[in-house]
Amino acid sequence: MKTNAIFYHAGCPVCIAAEQTIANALDPMKYDVEIVHLGNDKARLQAAESAGVKSVPALVMDGAAFHINFGASIEALK
Amino acid sequence: MKTNAIFYHAGCPVCIAAEQTIANALDPMKYDVEIVHLGNDKARLQAAESAGVKSVPALVMDGAAFHINFGASIEALK
């Protein structure tokens, strides 16, 4: 059975492409991936908090919140 | 073409099952997932550092290191 995976972010300009790597890497046979921009879509904040999201970017799946920190490459900051 | 995704950890007893959720969630059509315990397999430390790993758990894929912090649930700590 497919379950939902929700990728929460807030528009970090350096990291967003890399972070979506993770969302795109999930098995499409297992997960429907939804991308939520919490900065724009504040109505979703409560659900994110309830799922255990303490910071963004975060991925919620299988009932657990994973907080992902991508170390921006020097190249990306130039 | 399949590429490698490497999940580095150091045996955190609370988090390991949840962290492997991510490794198991990756699309098997896109990624061969390898799990490396850096505490036991110190010969792999240099490659991990070269890939940009600053802390564990981390997932290296598509040339980027993603540092994953799973907030352990209160239940898991009881």
Side-chain angles (χ1 to χ4, degrees), chain B residues 38-64:
Chain B
L38 285 177
N40 292 340
D41 199 352
K42 295 187 189 300
R44 305 292 295 272
L45 277 168
Q46 194 174 1
E49 270 195 337
S50 297
V53 174
K54 305 287 188 202
S55 61
V56 288
L59 182 67
V60 172
M61 59 181 181
D62 299 337

Side-chain angles (χ1 to χ4, degrees), chain A:
Chain A
M1 203 186 80
K2 279 174 99 169
T3 57
N4 287 321
I6 307 179
F7 184 85
Y8 291 104
H9 70 102
C12 154
V14 171
C15 304
I16 192 163
E19 292 154 3
Q20 290 191 347
T21 297
I22 286 194
N24 291 329
L26 296 179
D27 187 347
M29 301 293 286
K30 291 183 185 164
Y31 296 98
D32 286 316
V33 181
E34 184 185 11
I35 311 287
V36 175
H37 187 315
L38 285 176
N40 294 339
D41 199 353
K42 295 187 190 300
R44 305 291 296 270
L45 278 168
Q46 195 175 1
E49 270 195 337
S50 296
V53 173
K54 305 287 188 201
S55 62
V56 288
L59 182 67
V60 172
M61 59 183 181
D62 299 337
F66 297 91
H67 300 95
I68 302 163
N69 302 318
F70 172 67
S73 72
I74 296 296
E75 288 305 311
L77 295 169
K78 284 180 181 170

